[in-house]
Amino acid sequence: MTVARTWAVALSGLEAGMVAVEADLSNQTPGFSIIGLGDRALGEAAQRVHNACANSGLPLPRRRVTVNLSPASLPKHGSSFDVGIAIAALATETPMDSARVAATLHVGELALDGRLRPVAGVLPAVNAAARAGIRRVVVPHGNRDEAALVDGVDVLGATTLAEVAAWHGVDVGVPECDPLPVQASAGAPPARPELADVIGQREAVEALVVAAAGGHNMLMCGPPGAGKTMLARRLPGILPELDDAAALAVACVRSLSGHAVTEISRTPPFEAPHHSASTAALVGGGSRVIRPGAIARASDGVLFLDEAGEFTAHALDALRQPLETGEMRIDRAGSTAVFPARVQLVLATNPCPCGSHGIRGGECVCPPAAVRRYLGRLSGPLRDRMDVELTLARVTTVDAPGGPPPVSTAAARARVLAARRRAAERLAGTPFRRNADVTGAWLRNGPCAPAPVVRRPLDAALQRGALTLRGYDRVLRVAWSVADLDGASQLGPHHIGRALYLKKGIAA
């Protein structure tokens, strides 16, 4: 044949577009050209393909080869098109099973000696191919386990280009590889940190359970050693397991980030970037290929920013919009990537740079201006997006023998699951899943809106300026989480009072 076709995938965030790789021969000056709105890495593919074919004993045609990546209007990035380009170019002259070539997705980068190198984003690419009806995929051997997580697809994990050509019917002196029979894996979740290890912070533990029940953002302020990090790291363990769609989305984001994905985990993700992280590291970005940031990797889980006062104010404020919309949209010249950002944000900060401001028995050496500047990095709009604000003190006594036992992870998780079920029943027929997702208009005017006498304390706080309207709605959301934990079907004054306490109160 003079025209050969196969398939590749162009990724833009989690969106994947199928790309037809078409190769054609013409009786012009010998050459190799690639068209179809590719980036620089794709422009360099011609040389990689030429050397890989020559070193694999698979010479390219001596005529001019034109490779078109269709649709031409779709931006294409990276080196994952190499294998598809090579197979399409070879199939124009080398006898191959044309039907197999045309029904196969090829993903992978070529080394100059013909080896296939792993690439990022294989899982979303193969998942997109499966949705498009493609049932055969070729990936580098290093990506085989990741591709095998998609049901209903035959996966060939190839080591060299010669193996791929042999699978398509070319006699190159290597045995044909059998596709790997695949089945989605849902391995056992890793061991969770035990909540009972948190000593002397019963109010803080209860606040953590409320936050988990409704998916609420949380701010903890306290001196070093108060248990802020211990509490945050135990939050994923009391959250419900991810459903199928969320687990697959989490795995796809990890794949796009370049992490090896060997199973579909149901455990909510936990991301804790260092305070030196840049804005792009938090929200994502990149000049050529747009990569997800920490907020996308933590989607459907917890994003924990320890030492939040040490992050730059610009980086923290960049989180405000995705916290409201639940997605992170990154625009670049010629391309746009959208990543999920449905996170529970947990901030932990010291009260001042030295950590001793306002602490009984502590000696703060920070001047007043430094204290104000330190806490000022958490801007008013960002703090307004925190549903639960706690001030923790150092633990001064341990639990005495014979007292109430500490709350275990299993017990807290059981309460959270029961509260989530009650919320799901109340929100049935709406687009909302958790209390934190409910809009203010529905909270104030919907079928479950509290009576005016119940929300009187909230109205008074709003009139005094102690709450913004956004804060008003967030207190209502937390109040419903408190009610769900209590098993109540309607909001009462004590639920509103508890929610206001969690927004402005002190846990010690």
Side-chain angles (χ1 to χ4, degrees):
M1 67 178 76
T2 59
V3 178
R5 294 179 180 85
T6 189
W7 292 98
V9 171
L11 294 172
S12 179
L14 282 187
E15 296 296 321
M18 298 303 300
V19 174
V21 183
E22 306 169 322
D24 183 39
L25 292 180
S26 60
N27 293 318
Q28 299 178 8
T29 304
F32 195 105
S33 59
I34 301 172
I35 58 177
L37 201 59
D39 64 354
R40 182 175 177 180
L42 257 174
E44 296 171 346
Q47 193 61 50
R48 289 195 298 273
V49 168
H50 185 276
N51 286 61
C53 289
N55 292 325
S56 301
L58 300 164
L60 288 169
R62 295 182 179 275
R63 291 184 285 170
R64 183 169 189 82
V65 180
T66 302
V67 176
N68 179 43
L69 305 177
S70 178
S73 59
L74 182 67
K76 304 162 189 77
H77 309 280
S79 57
S80 63
F81 295 83
D82 287 4
V83 178
I85 292 172
I87 291 299
L90 290 168
T92 57
E93 196 170 76
T94 304
M96 287 190 185
D97 186 335
S98 59
R100 177 180 280 190
V101 171
T104 302
L105 170 74
H106 295 85
V107 179
E109 177 184 335
L110 285 173
L112 296 183
D113 59 0
R115 288 176 296 141
L116 269 64
R117 288 178 171 161
V119 294
V122 165
L123 181 58
V126 175
N127 189 49
R131 292 198 305 267
I134 293 178
R135 295 292 174 257
R136 299 185 185 92
V137 301
V138 173
V139 300
H141 188 273
N143 294 126
R144 183 183 64 174
D145 292 342
E146 183 176 329
L149 296 174
V150 180
D151 281 327
V153 177
D154 293 331
V155 179
L156 170 66
T159 305
T160 65
L161 181 61
E163 288 182 18
V164 181
W167 191 58
H168 287 305
V170 180
D171 184 8
V172 293
V174 298
E176 182 176 344
C177 298
D178 293 326
L180 178 73
V182 301
Q183 212 134 39
S185 169
R192 297 183 175 99
E194 179 51 57
L195 188 60
D197 294 339
V198 180
I199 303 299
Q201 295 286 8
R202 286 185 133 353
E203 285 288 337
V205 169
E206 182 60 26
L208 193 74
V209 172
V210 173
H216 303 293
N217 299 327
M218 191 172 184
L219 168 64
M220 295 181 286
C221 181
K228 304 184 296 293
T229 302
M230 283 188 69
L231 285 163
R233 291 191 176 277
R234 281 146 181 80
L235 178 55
I238 63 176
L239 293 175
E241 290 188 344
L242 302 177
D243 58 22
D244 293 343
L248 181 60
V250 168
C252 286
V253 171
R254 286 188 59 81
S255 176
L256 285 169
S257 302
H259 296 286
V261 179
T262 58
E263 66 178 17
I264 303 293
S265 174
R266 304 271 177 187
T267 302
F270 180 84
E271 289 288 327
H274 190 262
H275 58 75
S276 62
S278 65
T279 302
L282 283 181
V283 301
S287 57
R288 294 183 182 177
V289 179
I290 301 175
R291 296 296 187 198
I295 193 171
R297 296 194 302 273
S299 186
D300 291 300
V302 178
L303 175 62
F304 175 49
L305 302 186
D306 199 4
E307 305 294 346
E310 300 292 341
F311 284 81
T312 64
H314 183 265
L316 291 175
D317 285 340
L319 301 174
R320 286 156 46 185
Q321 183 177 356
L323 286 176
E324 288 292 320
T325 62
E327 65 178 25
M328 185 64 230
R329 184 183 183 92
I330 302 173
D331 295 302
R332 294 290 183 269
S335 65
T336 298
V338 179
F339 298 104
R342 298 178 297 272
V343 301
Q344 260 186 274
L345 178 63
V346 179
L347 302 180
T349 183
N350 294 331
C352 67
C354 76
S356 297
H357 179 71
I359 305 303
R360 185 175 59 185
E363 184 178 349
C364 179
V365 297
C366 305
V371 176
R372 290 194 300 270
R373 186 166 55 249
Y374 188 79
L375 294 179
R377 294 188 180 181
L378 304 180
S379 66
L382 180 62
R383 293 192 68 157
D384 204 29
R385 287 166 171 82
M386 297 295 107
D387 301 334
V388 177
E389 296 185 26
L390 292 175
T391 300
L392 278 71
R394 287 196 179 103
V395 176
T396 56
T397 59
V398 297
D399 295 336
V407 180
S408 67
T409 294
R413 189 165 183 270
R415 293 182 62 200
V416 169
L417 292 176
R420 291 276 182 118
R421 283 193 295 269
R422 294 187 187 98
E425 293 171 1
R426 185 178 65 256
L427 299 173
T430 72
F432 313 122
R433 298 184 306 166
R434 312 169 303 173
N435 291 325
D437 302 325
V438 182
T439 62
W442 196 92
L443 287 166
R444 287 178 264 109
N445 306 312
C448 297
V453 66
V454 173
R455 63 187 191 189
R456 187 176 297 161
L458 272 179
D459 295 332
L462 186 65
Q463 290 173 357
R464 293 195 310 268
L467 284 176
T468 64
L469 184 57
R470 179 188 287 119
Y472 184 104
D473 293 339
R474 289 187 176 276
V475 172
L476 277 179
R477 295 183 184 116
V478 175
W480 270 115
S481 296
V482 174
D484 290 333
L485 288 168
D486 288 347
S489 59
Q490 293 291 332
L491 284 185
H494 57 292
H495 299 135
I496 297 288
R498 176 65 177 163
L500 279 169
Y501 175 81
L502 288 172
K503 177 68 175 174
K504 300 293 183 181
I506 297 176

